[in-house]
Amino acid sequence: MNKSRSELGQIIRGIARDPLGLMGLIIVGTIVFCAIFAAWIVPYDPVAMNIQARLEGPSLAHPLGTDQLGRDTFSRVIMGGQVALKVALPAVFGAMAIGLTLGMIAGYGPKWLDNLLMLLFDTIRSFPTVMFALAVVALVGPSLQTVVFVVMATSIPTYGRVARTQTLTLRNSEFILAERSMGASMARILGVHMLPNIVGVLAVLAAMDIPTVIALEAGLSFLGLGVKPPTPSWGALLKDGYALIRQTPWLVVGGGLPIILATLGFTFLGESLRDVVDPKLRKQR
Amino acid sequence: MLNFAIRRFGLALLILFVAVTVMFLMIRAVPGDPVQIMLGPRATPELQARLTAELALDQPIWRQLVIFYTNLVQGDLGIDVFSGRSVTEIVFQQLPHTLWLILAAITWSAALGIGIGAYAAAHPNTLIDRITAAISVSFVAAPAFVVALLSLLIFAVHLQWFPAIGAGEGFWGRLNHLVLPAFAIGLSWVGYIARLVRASMLEVMGENHVRTARAFGINERRVVLVYALRIAILPVVTVIGVGMGFLLSSAVFAEIVFARPGLGKLVIDSITTRNYPIVMGSVLISTALFVISTALADLINAWLDPRARAAK
């Protein structure tokens, strides 16, 4: 426990030393903080309408103005962060867990199973993501769960492939051979010895994947096929902003900037994390 | 080479077969009557009977699959029940708009990305290298539809430099209408390709033939542009092949934001009107396009670099 805590500290210090990493850390930290304490931060109820104050520009009372129903854009942006993370985190961790399991099975199991799983991964990857998402939404209808499912389904292959490659490399390493010759069970070899060596790489992938997921959620909500109104999602803000683009620029700005910031933050953090956790990866890409 | 080509296309066909079958089963797996789902609120007994017959829903599932594939290899994706036109015809009518958009985006982003990457690699670890690196990451991070909206806001609505909607008429009109959407979906590729070319350039710059070229006293500009870049460009070919899928996805948003005709607009419109055969047909065609372009990229790569053939 003590050891892992100091390791975590070391990783964070390593990231903070890199200027881009530090920027990523600050941005992501702010977003996470705002998402957790959103209910206390927002100056207005994000779904409360106020017809007298429609489509106002930025002012002291409304830092980012108001929308066509007089709802405070700033409050909706803050709450939107919560929605974005609610989709991104379960989707990314779910995909990572399933991809890790399948990838390790593919790498360690019999050849036919490996071939089958790889074909499955290749097949999922052969759908253009948004097209696949649209097909699923058309079938089962738009909702937060649909978005999470689509994101998970489409990103499992990435984690699976990396986990498989890592497993294949480790499979013939000496400490695994030693463990096998002593009669360790497969579960023990995979769970105790291989897992810790694979999880780090996948964590880096996950950090870099979060922005893609946030963008996909926002994109689907923008098309009106993601989270349903009046839930304040960044994509929904952009949808309203697009409809009113000739009346006010502030909805597009208010919905667009947080997405760009979040993407930048997580990307910087992911890149920096990669360099700290595994400098070798930098070359592979 | 021929052997590799046959194997690679065999794999592509297999993947496509599995993907299409998965899609086929997905529709059948949704709870409820598929005919009811496809027709939505507009279901009349007459339309229902017609669609049931067309999809052979009264037959066992394996027969349905056989019928579906028999039609598919003949290029028949079914009939749009509302307009009575063939789905294939409708999809292929919209496809060229999307392909031009993707082509325009690839062209400008690859040209600029290769330029930036090569320049950065020729001056590694200088201030300019660092600035381009930071800009590249930021470009990669910019989601296409946000860029599309912001550029619509700035360049079309406020500055009014470019048109906001439609695909335009005539050559110059079309080109003018392509600028903003192609900019929006290409931007993240500039960064991606720049980083790729930089990394691959740095590797190539250390290779023997570059050192030999330098030892012969060939000037640095020529060494970089002719001897190194030619090889360093290889990974870009593969990435562009894979990029087709991403660009297809981004194109959906660009077409909506700029109200352009195309595959994405067709799919979204069909989802809102619950016209399922068209959604299915468009997804199928775009998937096929993606699988084929990935396979083609692998082939070109194998042709350019014999080592890639052995590795597969």
Side-chain angles (χ1 to χ4, degrees):
Chain A
M1 191 65 218
N2 219 351
K3 185 183 158 237
S4 72
R5 188 177 296 165
S6 70
E7 255 175 43
L8 191 67
Q10 225 170 11
I11 289 173
I12 292 177
R13 266 196 300 280
I15 292 172
R17 225 172 296 148
D18 170 23
L20 286 185
L22 184 64
M23 223 163 99
L25 211 55
I26 292 171
I27 296 174
V28 171
T30 313
I31 291 172
V32 172
F33 178 84
C34 288
I36 294 174
F37 299 103
W40 288 278
I41 294 174
V42 293
Y44 298 89
D45 179 354
V47 293
M49 303 177 204
N50 177 5
I51 301 299
Q52 269 108 43
R54 286 191 324 143
L55 294 176
E56 281 183 6
S59 63
L60 277 178
H62 301 282
L64 282 171
T66 57
D67 68 3
Q68 75 279 18
L69 300 170
R71 298 177 294 196
D72 178 47
T73 303
F74 178 72
S75 304
R76 291 179 69 75
V77 168
I78 299 288
M79 274 305 200
Q82 204 177 50
V83 173
L85 291 185
K86 256 189 209 159
V87 171
L89 294 181
V92 167
F93 283 114
M96 187 172 137
I98 299 174
L100 179 67
T101 316
L102 292 182
M104 276 171 46
I105 292 173
Y108 203 78
K111 189 76 193 147
W112 64 266
L113 193 59
D114 182 21
N115 286 337
L116 192 72
L117 283 170
M118 289 310 280
L119 181 63
L120 181 76
F121 290 165
D122 281 343
T123 305
I124 299 177
R125 277 153 51 109
S126 71
F127 291 108
T129 316
V130 172
M131 285 290 182
F132 179 74
L134 293 178
V136 174
V137 169
L139 276 175
V140 300
S143 74
L144 210 111
Q145 287 88 330
T146 314
V147 180
V148 173
F149 166 77
V150 167
V151 169
M152 258 174 64
T154 49
S155 48
I156 285 172
T158 319
Y159 297 104
R161 276 177 160 268
V162 174
R164 172 181 175 270
T165 316
Q166 293 287 106
T167 312
L168 281 176
T169 328
L170 285 173
R171 192 179 170 164
N172 295 321
S173 62
E174 279 168 6
F175 78 103
I176 295 293
L177 285 179
E179 199 54 32
R180 271 225 302 257
S181 62
M182 287 192 295
S185 69
M186 193 170 112
R188 187 179 158 79
I189 292 177
L190 289 181
V192 178
H193 296 288
M194 287 202 172
L195 192 66
N197 286 298
I198 301 174
V199 138
V201 185
L202 288 196
V204 174
L205 262 186
M208 309 247 252
D209 210 20
I210 289 177
T212 325
V213 175
I214 291 180
L216 186 61
E217 180 270 312
L220 286 174
S221 301
F222 167 69
L223 294 173
L225 301 170
V227 298
K228 281 185 211 138
T231 313
S233 129
W234 291 338
L237 264 169
L238 285 172
K239 183 177 154 63
D240 292 341
Y242 175 60
L244 298 162
I245 201 161
R246 286 175 197 281
Q247 276 92 310
T248 172
W250 295 106
L251 288 173
V252 169
V253 173
L257 283 188
I259 297 177
I260 290 182
L261 269 182
T263 323
L264 273 181
F266 278 104
T267 310
F268 286 159
L269 191 66
E271 302 244 317
S272 186
L273 185 67
R274 181 188 63 200
D275 295 346
V276 173
V277 171
D278 190 355
K280 267 183 296 177
L281 270 177
R282 179 167 217 158
K283 271 197 168 162
Q284 284 173 16
R285 283 180 73 99
Chain B
M1 182 66 207
L2 186 66
N3 221 329
F4 175 80
I6 292 170
R7 256 185 305 149
R8 188 61 190 80
F9 269 100
L11 181 67
L13 275 180
L14 184 65
I15 288 174
L16 208 54
F17 173 75
V18 179
V20 171
T21 311
V22 166
M23 232 153 63
F24 175 85
L25 293 176
M26 233 162 65
I27 299 182
R28 302 304 192 269
V30 170
D33 179 14
V35 171
Q36 197 71 46
I37 292 170
M38 283 186 196
L39 292 176
R42 274 179 295 184
T44 61
E46 190 194 44
L47 276 177
Q48 271 178 341
R50 191 165 145 198
L51 195 62
T52 310
E54 192 171 294
L55 298 171
L57 286 172
D58 39 1
Q59 314 256 356
I61 188 116
W62 64 270
R63 283 263 331 147
Q64 293 178 29
L65 196 61
V66 170
I67 293 171
F68 176 72
Y69 269 106
T70 317
N71 291 336
L72 188 63
V73 289
Q74 293 166 357
D76 179 5
L77 289 170
I79 304 280
D80 167 24
V81 277
F82 302 121
S83 69
R85 291 167 64 205
S86 106
V87 172
T88 320
E89 190 192 315
I90 297 176
V91 172
F92 274 93
Q93 200 177 20
Q94 297 301 320
L95 191 61
H97 292 289
T98 306
L99 289 183
W100 277 114
L101 176 58
I102 291 176
L103 190 70
I106 287 181
T107 311
W108 88 265
S109 59
L112 189 62
I114 291 171
I116 293 178
Y119 188 85
H123 308 85
N125 297 323
T126 56
L127 184 66
I128 289 180
D129 181 27
R130 278 193 200 146
I131 292 172
T132 53
I135 292 176
S136 303
V137 182
S138 321
F139 280 2
V140 172
F145 82 100
V146 180
V147 179
L149 278 169
L150 291 177
S151 54
L152 173 75
L153 178 68
I154 298 169
F155 299 113
V157 174
H158 282 276
L159 296 173
Q160 301 193 338
W161 288 354
F162 296 101
I165 50 172
E169 289 293 318
F171 179 73
W172 291 112
R174 279 168 202 272
L175 204 63
N176 204 20
H177 279 80
L178 260 180
V179 174
L180 284 184
F183 167 76
I185 66 176
L187 191 65
S188 64
W189 281 84
V190 176
Y192 193 59
I193 292 175
R195 284 158 58 103
L196 195 73
V197 169
R198 179 183 180 275
S200 134
M201 258 312 249
L202 283 179
E203 209 168 292
V204 175
M205 294 288 274
E207 274 176 21
N208 290 340
H209 78 280
V210 171
R211 198 187 54 204
T212 310
R214 277 200 180 125
F216 270 79
I218 295 168
N219 77 49
E220 188 64 21
R221 174 188 286 260
R222 198 174 150 76
V223 170
V224 171
L225 291 183
V226 179
Y227 291 81
L229 190 60
R230 198 192 239 167
I231 294 177
I233 247 170
L234 286 179
V236 177
V237 176
T238 319
V239 163
I240 286 177
V242 179
M244 274 296 284
F246 293 97
L247 287 170
L248 265 168
S249 293
S250 317
V252 173
F253 293 112
E255 282 165 10
I256 297 300
V257 170
F258 294 100
R260 286 175 61 84
L263 214 53
K265 185 110 179 25
L266 181 69
V267 175
I268 301 293
D269 289 348
S270 309
I271 289 180
T272 8
T273 56
R274 288 174 142 278
N275 195 336
Y276 207 78
I278 295 198
V279 178
M280 176 86 171
S282 316
V283 174
L284 204 147
I285 301 276
S286 61
T287 305
L289 212 65
F290 184 26
V291 171
I292 293 168
S293 70
T294 320
L296 268 181
D298 275 358
L299 277 189
I300 294 174
N301 214 16
W303 176 57
L304 289 172
D305 184 357
R307 281 171 300 180
R309 269 175 254 169
K312 292 269 162 163

